[in-house]
């Protein structure tokens, strides 16, 4: 069967190529550039727990060594600290790193991947669809025709794929604008990220704004200054003045020594493509959506797009077209991003000065700090990852369904489990392998060798039920799971979202849930192919 064509070699496109390769699906990545990225310290990304784990699992590297996991978060208003958070096991720290470092790690992982071909200097020109394939033509020194089973546009805000498919991209332009500087300096908050609203040295006017500081490795910081509405030119002189003013204000005197490494202007747009699928063509990442106000991270959503789409394309690639499954990509991901955009649009007037009398209600400022913290830290309506409770892949009316602390459709917690070969693994490490996960909660099994309990109690019946499922599945056993009673059985999708939790071994309900989760019955060769 033909490979999947991926247009765009940014973080989303490269992540999708790796995710497909891990499920034994070949791909061709069309990179209009030379195959490497310009180092830019003023262009950074914040990855939250789930997306950082996804990239680390795919690349086999620890990104913590290339970036900084924040020690804490500090929100300030004028001279007061209004909110402090220390990150620990119960509150995982976001990971902050330069975007070129992230793409470099992805490219390094792909360099040894025989199922992925990266075609550099290949700019997309034409797309033609057939009932069983899609063809793309590229122009440039290596222009040619490429034939694929599916095509995914990961080619950014000005997506050629989206334009060729005549998909509208409505939304709002220049929702926010920030001046950005990357500099090396010693600041009072080692390893902490901070948001400073209405700093005392800028007490009035639209430029009073806010400043965000995020640490990077080697004593480097990225600082963002919210700019007033308009298109005023950000000159080097203005930026240097902001740097010196801010460093002096934070140091309580003259600015400390600093080294200015990189600068830029970051403009935030909010847009959402009308369709994310057109036949065998899909959109992902910035080609499908733009968001980013209040510290939210659009790349986080783009990586979730790749994770959601990869296992669905892999199942269709190995076992034939599955329209309900492929359609669910748009249904799930577009709804999740739309919810975040709606939340941001509702927060814009009060947070950015257009809230009228509501802005002066007692407690309003405190509520604004909470909203902004949620956006920056990936929590709440502004920042939390979406759930797929209303997905067409969610089973209905299961008699044996029981509640656990993870809502249906949400990402599961990462717990230690025993694999079928008896080894101890992390639940998250078994994701993205092309199979559903069936997790039995059985206290006490962790202290005994697998051979002592694999043939006892309910295990034989559950193992037989898993073998009979209409799709690839892997059986794991965990000592415990938050909110789950003993003998609870969790069914987890390859992208880590909970399908259902069942009270005990219920083969009929487990079969129904699995069949619904993959959009219908898979063919007889379902067990092959997970890498």
């Amino acid at each position: 069967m033909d490979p999947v064509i991926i247009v765009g070699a940014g973080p989303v496109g490269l992540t999708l190529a790796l995710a497909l390769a891990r499920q034994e699906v070949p791909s061709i990545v069309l990179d209009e550039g030379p195959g490497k990225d310009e180092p830019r310290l003023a262009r950074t990304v914040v990855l939250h727990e789930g997306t950082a784990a996804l990239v680390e699992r795919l690349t086999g590297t620890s990104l913590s060594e290339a970036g900084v996991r924040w020690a804490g978060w500090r929100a300030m208003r004028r001279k007061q600290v209004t909110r402090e958070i220390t990150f620990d096991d119960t509150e995982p720290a976001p990971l902050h790193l330069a975007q070129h470092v992230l793409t470099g790690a992805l490219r390094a992982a792909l360099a040894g991947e025989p199922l992925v071909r990266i075609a550099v200097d290949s700019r997309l020109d034409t797309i033609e669809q057939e009932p069983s394939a899609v063809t793309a033509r590229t122009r440039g020194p290596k222009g040619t025709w490429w034939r694929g089973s599916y095509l995914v546009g990961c080619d950014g805000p000005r997506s050629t794929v989206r334009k060729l498919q005549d998909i509208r991209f409505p939304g709002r332009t220049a929702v926010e604008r920030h001046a950005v500087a990357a500099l090396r300096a010693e600041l009072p908050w080692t390893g902490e990220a901070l948001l400073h609203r209405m700093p005392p040295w800028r007490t009035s006017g639209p430029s009073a704004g806010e400043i965000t500081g995020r640490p990077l490795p080697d004593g480097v910081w990225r600082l963002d200054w919210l700019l007033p509405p308009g298109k005023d030119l950000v000159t080097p002189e203005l930026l240097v003045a902001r740097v010196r003013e801010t460093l002096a204000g934070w140091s309580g005197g003259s600015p400390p020594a600093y080294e200015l490494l990189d600068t830029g202007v970051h403009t935030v747009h909010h847009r959402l493509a009308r369709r994310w699928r057109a036949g065998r063509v899909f959109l992902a990442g910035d080609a499908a959506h733009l968001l980013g106000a209040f510290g939210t991270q659009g790349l986080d959503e783009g990586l979730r797009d790749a994770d959601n789409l990869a296992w669905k394309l892999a199942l269709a690639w190995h076992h034939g077209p599955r329209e309900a499954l492929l359609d669910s990509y748009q249904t799930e991901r577009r709804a999740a991003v739309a919810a975040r955009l709606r939340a941001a649009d509702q927060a814009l007037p009060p947070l950015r000065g257009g809230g009228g009398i509501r802005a002066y209600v007692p407690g309003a400022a405190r509520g604004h700090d909470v909203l902004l913290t949620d956006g920056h830290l990936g929590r709440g309506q502004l920042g939390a990852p979406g759930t797929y409770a209303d997905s067409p892949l969610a089973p209905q009316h299961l008699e044996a369904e029981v509640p656990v602390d993870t809502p249906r459709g949400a990402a599961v917690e990462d717990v230690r489990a025993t694999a079928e070969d008896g080894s101890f693994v992390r639940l998250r490490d078994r994701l993205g392998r092309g199979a559903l996960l069936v997790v039995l909660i059985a206290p006490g099994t962790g202290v005994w060798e697998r051979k002592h309990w694999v043939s006892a109690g309910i295990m034989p019946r559950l193992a037989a039920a898993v073998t009979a499922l209409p799709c690839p599945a892997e059986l794991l056993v965990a000592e415990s799971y938050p909110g789950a009673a003993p003998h609870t059985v969790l069914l987890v999708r390859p992208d880590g979202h909970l399908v259902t939790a069942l009270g005990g071994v219920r083969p009929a309900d487990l079969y129904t849930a699995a069949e619904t989760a993959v959009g219908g019955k898979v063919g007889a060769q379902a067990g092959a192919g997970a890498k």
Side-chain angles (χ1 to χ4, degrees), residues 345-372:
D345 284 343
Q346 290 168 2
L348 273 168
L351 280 173
R352 294 302 182 232
I357 194 170
R358 288 178 297 173
Y360 299 95
V361 173
R366 190 180 306 112
H368 296 172
D369 288 338
V370 171
L371 277 173
L372 289 167

Side-chain angles (χ1 to χ4, degrees), residues 468-485:
L469 291 179
C471 55
E474 179 183 8
L475 176 58
L476 302 171
V477 180
E479 280 258 6
S480 63
Y481 187 86

Side-chain angles (χ1 to χ4, degrees), residues 161 197 213 264 483 524:
V161 173
R197 303 181 67 212

Side-chain angles (χ1 to χ4, degrees), residues 1-5 25-26 129-135 147-151 279-282 313 316-317:
M1 190 171 176
D2 296 316
V4 174
I5 300 172
V25 177
Q129 292 203 54
E130 306 168 20
S132 60
V134 60
T135 307
R147 181 181 172 86
S149 53
Y150 299 95
L151 183 147
R280 290 180 171 268
V281 176
F282 299 81
L313 284 178
W317 195 91

